[in-house]
Every structure is written in C-alpha cells, then in structure tokens.
Amino acid sequence: MVKETSWGSRLFDTFNVIILAVIALITVIPFIYVVAGSFATQRELLEKGFILFPTEFSLEAYKYIFSTSTLMRSLGVTIFITVAGTLINITLTCLMAYPLSRRDMDFRSPIQLLIIFTMLFSGGMIPTFLVVKELGMLDTYWSLLLPGAISAFNLIIIRSFFQQLPPDLEESAKIDGASDPGILMRIVIPLSLPALATFSLFYAVGHWNTYFSSILYINDSTKWPIQVLLRQIVMLSQGGSLGDTSSLESNFIPPDQAVKMAVIVISTVPILIVYPFLQKHFAKGALLGSVKG
Amino acid sequence: MGNPIAAVKPAMTNVYRRQKLRRMVRNKWLYIMLLPGLLYFIIFKYVPMYGLLLAFKNYQPFLGFVDSEWVGLKHFNRFFGDPLFWKLLRNTFILAAYNILFFFPLPIILALMLNELRSQAYKKWIQTMVYIPHFMSWVVIVSIAYLFFTTEGGLVNEAIASMGGEKVQFLLSPGWFRTFITGEVMWKETGWGTIIFLAALAGVDTQLYEAAKIDGAGRMRQLWHITLPAIRSTIVILLILRLGNFLDTGFEQIFLMLNSLNREVGEVFDTYVYTTGISQGEYSYSTAVGLFKSVVGLVLVFGSNFLAKRFGEEGIL
C-alpha cells in the first residue's frame, strides 16, 4: 500500500490552500473596500485611508444619490434597457432558433451559414453607426436595444439545444393538431427553460453593463444608462485632462469619495444579488458556450 | 434506344420541386418565425457590410451613401503612409503579446491549484469568489482602479505618501499603461478562465491516478504525466483561438483607460476608428481603417483554425 499523505504532499496541500485563499481575497477585497467606503463618512475615509469596516456608519452617500434626479433617472434607464432588451433578445433568439432546429425546413444550411459568417466578419463600428443613424435611432433607446438583438453565438447554441429534444414529442403534438408556434410555446420552450434562463442572464448582464453603445449612440445625457454616468462621476474629478468632461453640466459638483463608491455599489448591486443564486447556471452556460455549438 | 434516365430526370426534378413547395407551404409558420431574426441579420449585420464600400468613397453626408464619389484606395494609402499606422500596429501587438504572455497561463495554473484541493466545499467557495469580477462591467473595474491608484486620495498613493515616498502618476504616465491593462484583465478574468480547464480536468480518468500511485508517482509526477497531458489539447486550442482574435485587445477597457497623456502607447485600431470616425466625423477614412482591421482579423481566424486542425483538433469552423 502506498502512503496516502507524505510529508511533502501535506506541505503542498497547506500551501495550496493558503495561496488560493490569498488569491480569492485579492479578488474580493477591492469590492469590499468599495462597499465599506460607501457607508463611511468622508472624515473617516480621509483619516484612515483603507477600511474594510467603517466605524462611523453613514448613509450620507446613498441619501445624496437617491436625492439627485440624474442618478435615479440613469438607474431607471438601465433597468428599462435590461428588462426590455433581454425580452427582445430571448424572444427573437428563440423565434429564429426553433425553425433552424427543424430538420424538415428548407434553406436551413444557407441561413445558418449566413449567421455564422457574421461571427467572423462584420461591417464594424462606423458602417453600423451609420445604419443606426439612417434608421433615425440615434438618441433613442432603440439604438441600445436593436443593434445587438440577437447574438449569433447564443443563437447557434440554443438551436443545438432545441435540436437535442426528442422529435417524438413534436410529432405527437402535431398529430394532436398543434401548429408550429404552438409547439414552440408549449413544448420546446418549457423543456429548454434551464438553458434559456442561463442565456437570458448572459444577455441581461450584458445590458446592465452596457457602456460603449450608449457612448456611441446616445448624446442626450438624460438617456444615459448608469454605467456612463458612473464613468463621468468617478473620473471627472481626477484632474481636467482625463476623459471628456464637457458633456456634463457645468454646475456639476465633483462628488466625494464615498459618493463615488456608492455609485459603483449601486451599479453592481443587482448583479451581486443574483450572482450567488445563478452561479451554477452561469458556469454551465459558459461551458455550453465554450464547447462547439 | 433512348436513355431512360434522361427521360426520367426532368420528371423527377419536377416531383422534387413540387414536394419542396408543398413542404414549404406546410411549414409556413417556420418561415414567419424566422422573419424577424433574418431581418435583424440583414439590417444590422449585412447592410453594414455593404456600407464598408464607404472605405472606397468620399462620404459626404449631404450627398448620401450612393452619390458620394468613388476614390479608390485613397484612404488606405493615406492610412498606410501615416507613421501612426505603425504606432497602432505596435501598440496592438504589444498589448496582445502581454495578454498571451502574462494572462494566458494564469487560469491554467489556478485551475490546476483548484484541482489539487481535497475539500470540495473549499473549492466551491474559492470559485465563487474568483468568478465575481467577470460579471462586473469594465466601467466598474476601471473606476475601482481609479479609486485605488489616483494621485488625489487614491489608496495606493496615500500609502506611498504615508511611508514617505513620492506619489506616482499611475494613471497618467504612458509607462504604466500596459501594466494596468494587463493587470486589470488578470484580475477580472483569471477566475472565470478556469472554468473550461476545470471541466477538462473533471474528465480525467481517476484510475490513471490510482495506477500512477501504485507505480510510486508522487503528486508532482502525477501532475506532470497525467494532469497536464489531459488538458494539453484544451490549452492548445484556446491558445490558437486567442491568436485568431489577436487584434481584439479589449476595446472598452482600453477606451476607458485612455487619456491624452497615455495615448501614445494606448491607442489601438479600434480606439482610433472611434476617434477619427465618430468624434471627428471622418467616416470614410475610419471605415477604411476598420476594414483593414476586419480583414486582417478574418485572415488570423482562418489561419488559427488551420493551425488548430494541424494539431489534430476539431477546429472552430
């Protein structure tokens, strides 16, 4: 019998456990610092610099944020974009994935080829911008909702998922007189709920974090999602040469550290709340995505 | 004696055609469902591809796309003749090389470490923590970096100052730019990157380890002779895929970290397209730059796919 745990092996285990704990801490401490800082008073932040637990608990930063209309409006925009965008994403993706999963449909492979090609080559930023502009979507929420309405990648994966469902179910439903949309609604979608939930989440996180498309398509600062505002607030007071500050109102007072931290917290909190519940789905979705569609 | 097959053939194609038509009528709902998605791909993916022709025109907004005059390769000549072209190429190249050199091995190492843990509960706990930053936006990550490294009350600079050191302009000096870009990617994506390697490791036959133990192999030898070979193909394919996206240096992140002082080392193709196209309104010229990048990218993807197949992998296409 071979000895299970030699001295060297145990030493290795101990080190491994410790190093991993350090890595995990390095990952989360910046977040904890930001959350703690958002509840601290400006005085404590200035005196101590680094705190993980504020001794003078203060809600000032949040009170300030919730009293400003700018931030609340941005938050509202982001919530709207996330909900509406995800609904559009998942509806359009399912509608397209289902016919493509049906082997008895004609023109299936040319259409799929057309879709896969868009993953390899694209018109790029300027031509896409001009299309959005020509459609009159600049400065409207449509510009944040429609140009990314379907992810070719997710579409192909969901199609593969639909394809794996037993065809007998569909056939018997057909004999019972169900139409194709009926089959999609009553059989295919209910059977694929876990996969669809995962992809809805990926889509939703994407909308919540959306930044660049708003910079590109939205000039009107009243329609800015929270991420754009966050950037303005945090980087504005870092010296005039940074970023373009011209887009902010001239009477905007640079906020203190605690407020900046509170804005970071507010713009991530929804993700942090759903995260623990969905961790296993996320991981599964990532694997689905990394295995060839 | 006529050829019977020749006589039957037209009749057969007619039958096929009629069957196909009947099938299409029967499946009419499928086509209706397909319609919104198809429209999406045509309007937002294929029309912009057609719009790439702008790169060969002198786009005048008041003339419109069709009436703007053709100028051939003028914009490309201008771009390739500009010393800026080499600067962009160099910046993109160095950032991509940093990414492969410093970031790429990390998820593999972390996955191997996680795999050696005996306690599954502890493993889960560590995984939960290291996945978190992946779901944060780049704005949040860059904002946190600012809070830590700014000279105006930033944590790190305060610490340096309190120890009597001189404050460092981390965010404004070109010398630190690449370190920050790579460091942020390492911090954000290392944990998430382990997922695929952990999945590969979970597929390793445990009997191999038993056999190795009986042969007297220590843990390092097991790692070297069983674990690493087991994930070798995953490593190779991911590396090749990464090469295929060589030019795609996280655009949003770079855009957010850029300022007038570090532009010299930070400007890459994508950010340049944005500045010249959207900010300065030079649509045709920046379309040409973007087209150059897309074409090189396409060549890289096909090249890397070819490589992947040479390595006996399935490839991505």
Side-chain angles (χ1 to χ4, degrees):
Chain A
M1 199 43 209
V2 184
K3 236 200 281 176
E4 265 295 328
T5 47
S6 67
W7 189 80
S9 181
R10 251 190 239 177
L11 192 72
F12 172 81
D13 278 330
T14 317
F15 267 112
N16 196 23
V17 166
I18 293 171
I19 292 171
L20 282 170
V22 170
I23 292 172
L25 283 177
I26 290 173
T27 322
V28 291
I29 277 184
F31 289 122
I32 297 175
Y33 167 69
V34 170
V35 173
S38 72
F39 288 110
T41 57
Q42 179 72 358
R43 195 164 57 87
E44 195 181 1
L45 266 178
L46 284 177
E47 277 168 12
K48 290 191 192 156
F50 187 75
I51 40 171
L52 290 182
F53 302 100
T55 44
E56 300 169 41
F57 189 82
S58 149
L59 284 173
E60 280 310 307
Y62 290 95
K63 270 186 203 151
Y64 169 75
I65 287 173
F66 286 104
S67 69
T68 57
S69 57
T70 324
L71 269 155
M72 295 315 287
R73 197 174 46 209
S74 276
L75 204 59
V77 169
T78 300
I79 292 170
F80 167 71
I81 296 287
T82 304
V83 173
T86 308
L87 273 176
I88 291 175
N89 289 145
I90 217 71
T91 311
L92 286 185
T93 309
C94 283
L95 272 181
M96 197 171 195
Y98 178 62
L100 291 177
S101 75
R102 284 272 298 261
R103 287 169 212 279
D104 61 335
M105 202 195 72
D106 293 282
F107 308 116
R108 202 169 140 241
S109 23
I111 292 172
Q112 288 185 86
L113 216 65
L114 217 70
I115 291 164
I116 290 170
F117 184 67
T118 65
M119 293 161 74
L120 301 172
F121 190 80
S122 75
M125 187 191 303
I126 306 296
T128 311
F129 172 82
L130 290 175
V131 167
V132 173
K133 190 179 165 194
E134 286 302 310
L135 290 170
M137 287 181 183
L138 289 189
D139 269 335
T140 69
Y141 296 129
W142 293 115
S143 67
L144 302 181
L145 298 173
L146 290 184
I150 299 177
S151 138
F153 195 73
N154 294 355
L155 173 68
I156 298 291
I157 298 168
I158 291 175
R159 180 222 56 185
S160 307
F161 198 89
F162 286 172
Q163 232 161 33
Q164 289 165 9
L165 299 174
D168 309 356
L169 282 171
E170 293 174 43
E171 264 156 42
S172 64
K174 226 173 220 173
I175 292 167
D176 291 344
S179 64
D180 287 324
I183 294 171
L184 174 64
M185 289 299 294
R186 295 211 203 109
I187 295 171
V188 176
I189 287 182
L191 284 175
S192 322
L193 275 185
L196 293 181
T198 310
F199 284 103
S200 304
L201 282 163
F202 279 132
Y203 275 131
V205 170
H207 285 296
W208 187 271
N209 287 341
T210 188
Y211 168 75
F212 190 69
S213 42
S214 2
I215 288 288
L216 205 52
Y217 302 129
I218 307 279
N219 272 320
D220 180 356
S221 64
T222 63
K223 287 176 179 152
W224 276 348
I226 189 87
Q227 305 285 346
V228 183
L229 200 70
L230 169 63
R231 185 218 178 194
Q232 301 288 341
I233 286 173
V234 175
M235 298 178 200
L236 177 74
S237 42
Q238 311 290 326
S241 60
L242 288 180
D244 67 299
T245 51
S246 53
S247 38
L248 268 179
E249 302 99 87
S250 53
N251 58 355
F252 191 87
I253 309 149
D256 60 33
Q257 293 289 89
V259 172
K260 289 182 195 169
M261 292 177 178
V263 182
I264 296 180
V265 172
I266 288 177
S267 60
T268 44
V269 112
I271 287 174
L272 287 180
I273 289 173
V274 293
Y275 173 72
F277 300 103
L278 303 160
Q279 192 198 346
K280 102 179 153 228
H281 294 300
F282 273 141
K284 218 179 281 163
L287 279 178
L288 268 177
S290 54
V291 177
K292 197 176 146 193
Chain B
M1 209 162 88
N3 187 346
I5 296 172
V8 168
K9 220 178 171 187
M12 283 287 279
T13 28
N14 263 336
V15 171
Y16 277 138
R17 205 172 288 155
R18 215 171 307 141
Q19 274 181 348
K20 192 173 177 178
L21 209 68
R22 205 177 302 149
R23 198 166 52 227
M24 284 179 68
V25 171
R26 184 158 31 91
N27 284 343
K28 60 181 180 302
W29 273 110
L30 296 183
Y31 295 97
I32 294 171
M33 287 195 253
L34 206 57
L35 206 61
L38 265 184
L39 275 177
Y40 163 77
F41 277 100
I42 291 167
I43 295 173
F44 290 106
K45 297 291 170 187
Y46 281 94
V47 173
M49 282 186 210
Y50 173 66
L52 279 172
L53 289 178
L54 271 188
F56 306 97
K57 286 188 164 204
N58 231 355
Y59 182 68
Q60 307 278 342
F62 54 89
L63 282 178
F65 178 84
V66 181
D67 293 327
S68 295
E69 73 171 315
W70 291 95
V71 293
L73 294 175
K74 185 184 144 203
H75 301 298
F76 291 93
N77 288 334
R78 180 184 150 198
F79 181 51
F80 295 136
D82 195 327
L84 200 96
F85 169 74
W86 296 104
K87 200 174 82 183
L88 294 181
L89 198 66
R90 207 177 124 238
N91 289 347
T92 309
F93 208 87
I94 294 177
L95 281 174
Y98 267 42
N99 187 291
I100 288 177
L101 225 61
F102 298 108
F103 167 68
F104 187 77
L106 283 186
I108 303 169
I109 296 168
L110 187 59
L112 290 174
M113 286 171 77
L114 283 167
N115 197 48
E116 291 298 323
L117 283 178
R118 284 157 200 262
S119 152
Q120 287 305 302
Y122 187 66
K123 183 179 164 190
K124 264 259 152 68
W125 189 70
I126 299 283
Q127 279 176 285
T128 304
M129 302 235 273
V130 295
Y131 288 168
I132 291 176
H134 171 77
F135 294 102
M136 305 290 139
S137 69
W138 272 116
V139 184
V140 166
I141 307 280
V142 172
S143 297
I144 293 176
Y146 267 77
L147 284 181
F148 272 76
F149 292 100
T150 172
T151 44
E152 288 154 47
L155 206 57
V156 174
N157 267 319
E158 290 302 314
I160 292 174
S162 71
M163 285 186 290
E166 201 151 308
K167 287 191 176 182
V168 184
Q169 294 272 14
F170 291 107
L171 300 160
L172 298 175
S173 63
W176 282 97
F177 184 79
R178 289 172 183 138
T179 313
F180 266 88
I181 295 290
T182 315
E184 282 168 8
V185 172
M186 282 157 69
W187 186 71
K188 187 175 192 275
E189 301 295 345
T190 300
W192 189 249
T194 60
I195 286 186
I196 187 158
F197 295 110
L198 284 172
L201 287 170
V204 182
D205 190 349
T206 45
Q207 286 183 353
L208 289 174
Y209 290 108
E210 298 298 329
K213 259 188 236 163
I214 289 166
D215 287 345
R219 288 180 68 179
M220 281 303 149
R221 292 204 74 118
Q222 290 176 31
L223 181 80
W224 188 251
H225 289 294
I226 302 171
T227 314
L228 272 179
I231 58 171
R232 201 192 68 118
S233 66
T234 312
I235 295 174
V236 170
I237 193 114
L238 284 184
L239 188 61
I240 290 171
L241 285 176
R242 183 69 211 112
L243 291 174
N245 303 327
F246 200 72
L247 293 183
D248 296 317
T249 41
F251 171 45
E252 199 165 286
Q253 180 199 8
I254 292 176
F255 180 77
L256 287 162
M257 292 294 290
L258 265 187
N259 53 54
S260 47
L261 296 169
N262 60 24
R263 205 164 279 279
E264 191 62 26
V265 294
E267 189 95 275
V268 291
F269 288 108
D270 286 326
T271 52
Y272 184 63
V273 170
Y274 177 80
T275 345
T276 49
I278 306 295
S279 312
Q280 294 159 17
E282 291 196 59
Y283 293 130
S284 282
Y285 176 65
S286 56
T287 303
V289 178
L291 178 58
F292 165 76
K293 202 213 134 185
S294 295
V295 170
V296 176
L298 192 65
V299 171
L300 284 174
V301 168
F302 277 109
S304 66
N305 192 57
F306 173 76
L307 258 179
K309 283 190 174 144
R310 284 293 297 271
F311 273 90
E313 301 294 339
E314 216 184 324
I316 37 165
L317 299 175

